Amino acid sequence: GAGVSQSPSNKVTEKGKDVELRCDPISGHTALYWYRQSLGQGLEFLIYFQGNSAPDKSGLPSDRFSAERTGGSVSTLTIQRTQQEDSAVYLCASSSRLAGVLPYFGPGTRLTVT
Amino acid sequence: TQLLEQSPQFLSIQEGENLTVYCNSSSVFSSLQWYRQEPGEGPVLLVTVVTGGEVKKLKRLTFQFGDARKDSSLHITAAQTGDTGLYLCAGAQGGKLIFGQGTELSVKP
């Protein structure tokens, strides 16, 4: 595809369940970023990948959050034992190299934990 | 700690008015970016400013980077209803982009 795609676009889950969010970056982009955005707020950095490695995981809120990237392409963000405070829009972005070249964002996954 | 402070957080104006949004930091950034985000979509890059004192114009939008590369401003002339959205500034730090909390702009007809 031409841009960054994310799935699902919306996810409603019950508190305590695990969820997986997927990001398909732009083909050939080596850097991939995950951000979280609460309603009407700025973006909170979670983690970024360079290739399949994650040099910076400092933004992951707790050990319930994990992310992986395989084949230097698709990335999955997993949230275990979801809590209501996890409700937010999770945005993925990719760029052709580390933030020296600006990332392109996907449309996000809106997660609602009931 | 919020590295990038945006002001105002909310702005509601009439069509045709001018406005300025500010992005301030105590840190020096090699570049600052401005994004615009509409509901249900990801942020879209408007401009990157790199050189201290730089001014860039994009139609009715004027972006300025402070001389010390710690602050930036976005000025919109004769706002239109289509300018409504969330405006975000961001700076590169340690291999990632750090974002301000955003300015929610509403332009009323």
Side-chain angles (χ1 to χ4, degrees):
Chain A
V4 178
S5 60
Q6 293 186 244
S7 61
S9 55
N10 280 285
K11 176 71 177 179
V12 180
T13 189
E14 291 181 353
K15 178 181 172 182
K17 303 275 188 177
D18 299 350
V19 294
E20 280 191 357
L21 312 180
R22 177 186 168 107
C23 172
D24 282 273
I26 293 172
S27 178
H29 278 190
T30 56
L32 185 148
Y33 309 81
W34 283 100
Y35 286 85
R36 179 167 73 173
Q37 185 176 33
S38 299
L39 186 63
Q41 297 295 305
L43 277 66
E44 174 190 5
F45 169 78
L46 298 179
I47 185 172
Y48 87 83
F49 291 89
Q50 180 63 19
N52 292 334
S53 301
D56 190 342
K57 308 178 184 180
S58 63
L60 294 177
S62 74
D63 59 8
R64 296 186 295 105
F65 287 72
S66 62
E68 65 175 14
R69 189 179 185 195
T70 55
S73 181
V74 172
S75 177
T76 303
L77 177 68
T78 301
I79 309 173
Q80 296 178 308
R81 304 181 304 280
T82 52
Q83 304 293 312
Q84 287 185 330
E85 61 262 29
D86 299 334
S87 296
V89 175
Y90 289 81
L91 290 158
C92 175
S94 69
S95 71
S96 58
R97 58 183 172 93
L98 290 180
V101 175
L102 284 309
Y104 292 86
F105 281 86
T109 293
R110 178 174 296 280
L111 175 66
T112 303
V113 182
T114 60
Chain B
T1 302
Q2 184 69 41
L3 293 180
L4 282 170
E5 296 283 346
Q6 280 188 244
S7 62
Q9 282 192 266
F10 300 96
L11 191 54
S12 180
I13 61 172
Q14 295 296 128
E15 198 169 28
E17 292 183 358
N18 302 332
L19 67 112
T20 302
V21 176
Y22 299 93
C23 177
N24 296 298
S25 174
S26 57
S27 303
V28 174
F29 289 93
S30 57
S31 66
L32 275 180
Q33 294 75 42
W34 285 92
Y35 287 82
R36 179 167 170 263
Q37 185 179 22
E38 296 192 55
E41 299 180 7
V44 175
L45 179 67
L46 294 174
V47 79
T48 299
V49 285
V50 178
T51 306
E54 181 177 4
V55 176
K56 280 191 174 178
K57 292 195 174 185
L58 190 68
K59 297 184 180 178
R60 293 176 295 101
L61 278 60
T62 301
F63 303 86
Q64 189 161 7
F65 201 13
D67 290 341
R69 291 185 291 129
K70 292 183 178 181
D71 55 86
S72 182
S73 64
L74 158 61
H75 183 79
I76 301 180
T77 303
Q80 300 176 356
T81 55
D83 296 328
T84 293
L86 180 67
Y87 290 81
L88 296 154
C89 67
Q93 191 171 79
K96 59 186 181 283
L97 281 182
I98 304 297
F99 282 82
Q101 73 270 46
T103 294
E104 188 74 53
L105 172 64
S106 173
V107 182
K108 301 185 186 309

